[in-house]
Amino acid sequence: MFENLSDRLHKVFKDLRGHGKLTDKNIQDALREVRMALLEADVNFKVVKEFVAAIGAKAVGREVKESLSPGQQVVKIVHDELISLLGGSTAGLELKGKTPAIIMMVGLQGSGKTTTCGKLAKLLKKQGRRPYLVPADVYRPAAIEQLHVLGRSIDVPVHPSQSDQDPVTICKNAVMVAANSDYDTLLIDTAGRLHIDEKLMGELGNIKAAVNPDEILFVADAMTGQDAVTVADKFNQDLAISGVVLSKMEGDARGGAALSIAKVAQRPIKFIGTGEDLDALEVFHPDRMASRILGMGDVLTLIEKAEEVVDKKQADKLAKKIRKSTFTLEDFLDQIQQIKKMGSLEQIMGMIPGLNRMKQMKDIPKPDEKELGKVEAIIRSMTSDERRKYQMINAGRRQRIAKGSGTTVQDVNKVIKSYSDMLKMMKKMKGKMGGGPGPALGGKKRRKKPKGLFR
Amino acid sequence: MLGWFKKKLKIGKKEEKKEEPVVPEIVQEETPVPEKKEEKIPAVEQKASIEKIKPVKPGSILHEDVGSLFNRLREKLGKTRSSFVSRVDELFMGKKKIDPELLDDLEEILITADLGVGTTQELIDAAREKVNRKELSDPQALKKVLKEKISDFLHSSDQPAELVMPDEGPFVIMVVGVNGVGKTTTIGKMAHKFVTSGQSVLLVAGDTFRAAAVDQLKIWGERIGVDVLSQQSGADPSAVVFDAMDHAGKKDVDVVIVDTAGRLHTKVNLMEELKKIKRVMSKKIKGAPHEIMLVIDSTTGQNGISQAKLFNEAVGITGLTLTKLDGTAKGGIVVNICREINIPIRFIGIGEQMNDLRDFDADEFTEALFAENSR
């Protein structure tokens, strides 16, 4: 749907040859594209305007580095500027000082406060703190119950609030309870409210005055549009928020709201929510967010994901196997499972720069997760002997496997074919790299590692 | 006041003069809820019961036209938003000619309303061309042109879908959307609407995933006095729906509203689950679900398009509801959605009370897009 910024700029600078300085004219053209990209990512209009002006001032007259095309140069400037706007480095919670430390969640309805509370409690618990959840949403039906359920699932105690109590009283009571027990971190879940609802905003002010929280986290939906500025500004003015949590980041929103909020509130974004799982809370990385807003893919996250899934030992073992040509169908199955663990294929593809757009192209066949499942089923229907020596799988066996896995013989053939192709490829690769400094390769030419794989 | 649904529920297509929709239908909602007993006059054959009720309705739910959405909103929000000065009018004041600056300002208004760069560009370019060709010189006329164009986008998808009121069995509505847009609340309000107009309603707690979602729906059910069919949390939503369809058939309810768990449109497996729920419905009740409603949060930015597209691809959306319009967000994203995919907007949500669900009115909505929210 959206083009990424580098492609757009590439078009602008296509005619520009040589490596002169960036002139006024081509800067202007480039800035228009930057502006469009930011607006499409839901960055607020006014923020974009200021931002683009600032970029322009920085870019004019700058020498184009030899290694970069003018387009890349502009992207780099924009990217750097975005990062510095988003807060430069990552920021964590500041809970030093008094016990119990108090964290208060605020935000609009449906932004994800309650879920974030649960996630944060889990995270804090992992860090060795003793969190105590305080439901103070007495308005939405079953909101208190929701926090109780979350608390139970992560084994964190929840304050027994009632929906007919006053939120301020609830919080005061909870602080007292915490002081008398050994909880050291209170997490207050307030009701979602509109920033223009003076009465409810006043209530938040009262809670703040009553318990004096260490952190007031403003929870915002990553899909928010232009209005993010208005909302964040009001919450910040009324409550002086200490940080921002951006929820629902696992979707395909560009998340320009992050920039708007960071700009208007001047507070760091501390966490992002990346799923409905209670583990799905991550530290915010400004650089990754910048890439995402510009639609440039997220290679770092992809690499991290891969690292998480692929166990180093297993990888070594696999490499050894490949070298010895003992890569069996069993290993093939392992590979498939690892890919599946990384998440949906589409999600993975979305993270690779450039592929972003290809995904949008309709006629390209999408990687089918069902297909992977089929392959899995087929391999699982083989005996262990068959998995080790695929040559023994004759027509009869193929029929049996097809029946066992609920597929057809053709499917089985396909799997065996692609596996044997893979074996052939590995043999070739082995011939090239495993054989040491062979004369054919001419001296000690090392295989270049892919960029970004080591940091 | 049931707007589009009312129409659907009318048995014959009689007297559908509705070409230009809804304007008079915004009604002050302080209307007395017809006692719930009414719905208990059961066992009347369904068609008959509806027809019986219908003539009563327009009278009983009095058109005490306490004005438009604006008034209602203004009332609700009190001083915080006391005046709706039209930003555009302000802009045009003292201007005799359309100059580039004016067009720039217009662009800002449209973009900040979340209309998106593409749509805005199209609107402004069209205007600019007209100005260049000297067809347009009066700023007031320009305003009119813009509004018409936006209304066009909205109206183009406003054609009532083919009426598929089932010959027998209940009218089934399935409500879908991403997390936290207000699906459950909308369902509560929608059910209230149906109940006030004399239909019997069954709510189905298809959100078995989120903690306490079932309880939330149950509380709504108690408030309005309708049955809620649920299983324990964690159950297979398709199974819940399966039972619900059975139940609805036996009990002869008029309307079944199915809640589903919020899900991001990019999650393939969750979208598959949604497809399955839909399949189960159509297996049990022919033609169900008769309405698949996507709920969109008006604070949503350009991602709304992606939401609408992917949900539409998965289950085929037949209607939109725009929630949380009582904030400062304009919900301009729906213009974009209507432009990309033809889906009519049924309702807007303007608050947390059960009366706070209104029929969508394209003209009024367009007017509000241009309005300034001065604090």
Side-chain angles (χ1 to χ4, degrees), chain A residues 32-249:
Chain A
R32 195 172 313 130
E33 297 297 329
V34 172
R35 179 173 172 273
M36 292 280 265
L38 293 177
L39 285 175
E40 275 172 2
D42 285 326
V43 182
N44 180 267
F45 189 85
K46 289 208 177 77
V47 177
V48 171
K49 219 171 179 177
E50 280 170 40
F51 183 78
V52 169
I55 296 284
K58 283 210 169 157
V60 177
R62 209 184 264 206
E63 298 241 358
V64 175
K65 286 195 185 130
E66 269 178 38
S67 53
L68 298 175
S69 72
Q72 285 170 327
Q73 179 88 1
V74 174
V75 171
K76 189 170 181 322
I77 297 172
V78 173
H79 196 251
D80 290 351
E81 202 62 20
L82 272 180
I83 291 174
S84 78
L85 247 178
L86 285 170
S89 56
T90 54
L93 289 176
E94 280 170 38
L95 299 177
K96 290 167 195 114
K98 70 175 195 311
T99 6
I102 297 172
I103 304 171
M104 184 173 156
M105 300 285 175
V106 299
L108 294 178
Q109 290 98 336
S111 55
K113 287 172 298 301
T114 309
T115 310
T116 306
C117 259
K119 290 177 182 176
L120 206 52
K122 184 161 190 191
L123 185 78
L124 289 169
K125 197 177 170 202
K126 233 191 259 171
Q127 293 171 354
R129 299 189 76 102
R130 294 177 301 279
Y132 186 50
L133 289 165
V134 185
D137 181 353
V138 296
Y139 306 104
R140 201 193 71 201
I144 295 177
E145 178 58 21
Q146 188 184 351
L147 202 61
H148 274 281
V149 174
L150 289 177
R152 270 199 295 278
S153 73
I154 52 175
D155 202 16
V156 168
V158 183
H159 186 73
S161 318
Q162 297 297 327
S163 58
D164 51 3
Q165 283 174 307
D166 174 47
V168 182
T169 322
I170 292 177
C171 296
K172 275 189 195 155
N173 287 345
V175 174
M176 255 157 26
V177 171
N180 293 329
S181 349
D182 65 340
Y183 307 126
D184 60 7
T185 319
L186 248 67
L187 284 154
I188 301 177
D189 177 31
T190 66
R193 63 203 73 212
L194 282 173
H195 51 296
I196 48 171
D197 190 331
E198 294 293 344
K199 193 172 140 255
L200 286 181
M201 289 305 282
E203 178 196 289
L204 281 184
N206 293 341
I207 295 180
K208 184 186 175 186
V211 302
N212 188 22
D214 302 69
E215 286 268 5
I216 300 179
L217 297 179
F218 173 64
V219 183
D221 188 327
M223 297 180 278
T224 316
Q226 297 282 325
D227 203 41
V229 166
T230 326
V231 180
D233 190 34
K234 185 71 169 75
F235 269 95
N236 191 35
Q237 275 179 17
D238 284 14
L239 300 165
I241 58 174
S242 65
V244 179
V245 178
L246 219 52
S247 64
K248 305 178 206 171
M249 280 283 287

Side-chain angles (χ1 to χ4, degrees), chain A residues 1-2 35-36 39-46 49 108-111 115 139-143 145-147 149-150 192 194-198 200 221 223-228 230-231 233-234 237 248-254 274-277 344 346 362 366 369-370, chain B residues 77 80-81 87 104-105 107-108 111-114 117-118 121 178-181 185 209-213 215-217 219-220 223 261-268 270 272 297-307 309-310 313 324 326-330 352 373 375:
Chain A
M1 198 176 346
F2 298 130
R35 179 173 172 273
M36 292 280 265
L39 285 175
E40 275 172 2
D42 285 326
V43 182
N44 180 267
F45 189 85
K46 289 208 177 77
K49 219 171 179 177
L108 294 178
Q109 290 98 336
S111 55
T115 310
Y139 306 104
R140 201 193 71 201
E145 178 58 21
Q146 188 184 351
L147 202 61
V149 174
L150 289 177
L194 282 173
H195 51 296
I196 48 171
D197 190 331
E198 294 293 344
L200 286 181
D221 188 327
M223 297 180 278
T224 316
Q226 297 282 325
D227 203 41
T230 326
V231 180
D233 190 34
K234 185 71 169 75
Q237 275 179 17
K248 305 178 206 171
M249 280 283 287
E250 75 271 33
D252 58 353
R254 287 272 193 82
T274 55
E276 293 183 81
D277 231 29
S344 80
E346 257 180 278
K362 279 249 164 88
K366 284 183 189 148
E369 247 139 274
K370 267 195 193 146
Chain B
L77 301 173
T80 51
R81 208 183 189 186
R87 256 171 109 175
D104 282 353
D105 288 343
E107 187 187 16
E108 178 178 347
I111 286 182
T112 45
D114 281 321
V117 197
Q121 217 62 278
V178 299
N179 316 63
V181 287
T185 311
F209 179 79
R210 205 201 69 202
D215 303 85
Q216 191 182 346
L217 196 67
I219 294 176
W220 269 107
R223 273 188 197 170
R263 64 202 70 219
L264 287 186
H265 46 292
T266 47
K267 299 220 165 150
V268 182
L270 292 182
E272 286 298 325
D297 184 334
S298 59
T299 54
T300 309
Q302 299 311 301
N303 192 245
I305 302 211
S306 182
Q307 290 175 21
K309 269 193 180 153
L310 292 182
E313 267 168 34
K324 307 184 196 172
D326 45 340
T328 45
K330 307 277 194 196
E352 288 178 315
N373 23 19
R375 285 211 214 108

